[in-house]
Amino acid sequence: MKILYTFLSFLIAITIGFSQSKTKEDIVLENGVSEQLAHFRKQQISDVKYDLSFEIPNQKSEDIVSKLLLEATLSEVNQPLYLDFKEKSQNIKTIEANGKNIAIVHEKGHIVIPSQSLILGKNTVQISFIAGNLSLNRNDDFLYTLLVPDRASTLFPCFDQPDLKATYKLSLTVPKDWKVLAGAEVKNKIEKGDFTLYTFGESDKMSTYLFSFVAGKFDSVTKKAGPGTLGEMTMLYRENNPKKIEMSTDTIFNLHQQSIDFLEKYTNYKFPFQKLDFAAIPVFQYGGMEHVGAIQYRESTLFLDNSSTDSEKLNRAKLIAHETSHMWFGDLVTMKWFDDVWMKEVFANFMADKIMN
């Protein structure tokens, strides 16, 4: 019996030691998010919430002063907490972890929160920083974010991997003659001299690459396009050709509603987010981008007139069908890692073709 007891104790010790060695395996920091880091964080982190504020100045050459309040539940604290921020270290002004100021440690595009500053369960991290400009497409009188595939971390500190979805609360201070659009509805609006502070409600859960906002001198139109499950939709635009605006606006809204109606019926799954708005942006890099609740489009693709060809009209319809399909295929159901990014595009194309037919 004593031999058996000793043997069992030996097995238990080995098992515990092996488990601890696996838990304590050091993360090797690399530029960008390695699969090792992504897998570790997926096990370590849950219930992520970002509360972000950006102060947009009048001049695009001026810095955007920003703040982040991050909430996350941690299942283990033997390792540090690594946030991705691919910006200059001097852009980080202060860091607090669970109410205490900590030293700024920024290595290879990652902010390191040491394990001794962490607790099991709910943690809060507050960071004051200057927003990165790489993915803030700033023009003299408007800007828009484009964070796909992994560029959220060039704008603000975050966990920039698609399988760590989070909710967002956003505050934007912008010049008072600007309009704004983001993934949730505006809940409050306060005039502050030459600026306006917009506070948005809490967003739906989304991957970091789907977070977005648009702000600038835009016109806007709001319509109830059909009897579907959504309420009104809003479009921001800068197009100034009255004929194109007159001929295109109703069609743009109707195409979105028709796509939603088809997808709800085909999937037997109601529109998965709290709203669907969109912005038509001059010289946009792509045909469109499927940000949750706030799709962005290239303006010239949406606004057509009598001289437009059948091919241009079909391309517009298919583009809208494609981006609307992404609400289900890509935004609601998202790939775990970037090597499967093709899947969301294949499904969106497949559904767009069915809608077009």
Side-chain angles (χ1 to χ4, degrees):
M1 178 66 76
K2 184 177 180 181
I3 294 172
L4 178 60
Y5 178 80
T6 304
F7 180 66
L8 287 173
S9 299
F10 175 70
L11 283 179
I12 291 168
I14 289 177
T15 303
I16 291 173
F18 177 71
S19 173
Q20 289 178 339
S21 69
K22 280 187 71 178
T23 302
K24 294 181 178 180
E25 179 187 355
D26 288 337
I27 300 297
V28 179
L29 276 187
E30 302 176 15
N31 290 313
V33 178
S34 67
E35 284 199 75
Q36 182 205 25
L37 176 58
H39 290 157
F40 171 73
R41 290 198 302 204
K42 181 60 178 173
Q43 298 300 315
Q44 180 193 32
I45 303 165
S46 61
D47 301 324
V48 182
K49 296 182 179 182
Y50 298 99
D51 193 329
L52 287 158
S53 68
F54 299 95
E55 297 181 14
I56 313 296
N58 272 309
Q59 303 297 320
K60 69 177 183 179
S61 58
E62 296 179 15
D63 289 340
I64 296 179
V65 176
S66 310
K67 292 181 181 178
L68 165 67
L69 171 60
L70 169 71
E71 294 182 6
T73 298
L74 301 184
S75 62
E76 82 111 275
V77 292
N78 292 325
Q79 296 272 8
L81 183 67
Y82 298 102
L83 287 120
D84 312 319
F85 189 49
K86 291 185 278 191
E87 255 300 331
K88 300 183 293 292
S89 295
Q90 53 263 42
N91 278 28
I92 306 167
K93 301 306 178 183
T94 62
I95 303 177
E96 284 185 19
N98 294 313
K100 296 181 179 179
N101 285 314
I102 63 172
I104 296 170
V105 180
H106 186 231
E107 299 175 356
K108 295 185 176 180
H110 303 281
I111 295 173
V112 182
I113 310 297
S115 56
Q116 59 265 32
S117 298
L118 304 173
I119 56 176
L120 285 172
K122 182 179 175 181
N123 288 253
T124 60
V125 176
Q126 295 187 65
I127 302 176
S128 299
F129 64 101
I130 302 299
N133 274 321
L134 180 64
S135 302
L136 257 181
N137 297 273
R138 299 178 72 176
N139 297 268
D140 289 333
D141 52 5
F142 73 95
L143 60 82
Y144 60 95
T145 60
L146 185 58
L147 306 181
V148 64
D150 61 345
R151 289 188 160 195
S153 55
T154 69
L155 175 61
F156 64 95
C158 60
F159 307 119
D160 208 1
Q161 59 190 75
D163 62 347
L164 276 178
K165 292 186 176 184
T167 58
Y168 295 79
K169 288 184 178 178
L170 174 66
S171 298
L172 290 177
T173 301
V174 299
K176 65 181 181 181
D177 55 346
W178 284 25
K179 289 185 169 65
V180 295
L181 184 69
E185 299 284 4
V186 173
K187 293 299 183 183
N188 200 19
K189 177 182 175 182
I190 300 173
E191 302 291 339
K192 301 172 68 176
D194 292 333
F195 293 85
T196 303
L197 169 62
Y198 291 92
T199 304
F200 296 83
E202 187 170 34
S203 75
D204 298 291
K205 273 192 174 183
M206 67 181 89
S207 301
T208 45
Y209 78 91
L210 294 168
F211 169 77
S212 74
F213 59 84
V214 178
K217 291 182 179 179
F218 287 87
D219 289 314
S220 68
V221 57
T222 300
K223 286 181 178 290
K224 173 65 175 172
T229 56
L230 277 178
E232 295 177 330
M233 302 183 210
T234 295
M235 175 173 66
L236 299 189
Y237 65 95
R238 288 173 61 88
E239 177 62 60
N240 56 17
N241 183 321
K243 196 65 178 175
K244 287 186 176 182
I245 294 169
E246 178 188 354
M247 293 197 62
S248 300
T249 301
D250 285 346
T251 301
I252 292 167
F253 280 88
N254 289 336
L255 288 169
H256 280 91
Q257 188 62 57
Q258 289 165 9
S259 296
I260 291 168
D261 292 344
F262 179 94
L263 287 156
E264 287 187 333
K265 184 177 179 180
Y266 185 88
T267 63
N268 195 30
Y269 197 102
K270 296 298 184 184
F271 184 82
F273 301 110
Q274 55 190 264
K275 72 182 184 79
L276 178 64
D277 296 330
F278 34 95
I281 298 172
V283 298
F284 189 63
Q285 290 93 319
Y286 307 124
M289 177 58 206
E290 67 269 19
H291 300 117
V292 168
I295 300 171
Q296 295 171 4
Y297 292 105
R298 184 182 300 151
E299 191 170 70
S300 61
T301 308
L302 293 190
F303 286 94
L304 306 176
D305 58 19
N306 273 332
S307 66
S308 302
T309 65
D310 287 345
S311 178
E312 288 173 322
K313 293 174 184 176
L314 287 168
N315 285 340
R316 173 176 64 185
K318 184 172 181 180
L319 173 63
I320 289 172
H322 177 101
E323 301 304 340
T324 307
S325 296
H326 269 310
M327 298 299 113
W328 282 260
F329 302 96
D331 295 8
L332 173 65
V333 179
T334 312
M335 68 279 174
K336 288 183 178 180
W337 188 241
F338 296 111
D339 55 0
D340 280 330
V341 72
W342 62 274
M343 290 183 68
K344 73 181 180 72
E345 297 303 326
V346 167
F347 273 102
N349 278 334
F350 173 69
M351 296 310 301
D353 283 342
K354 294 187 76 67
I355 292 167
M356 289 299 295
N357 285 338

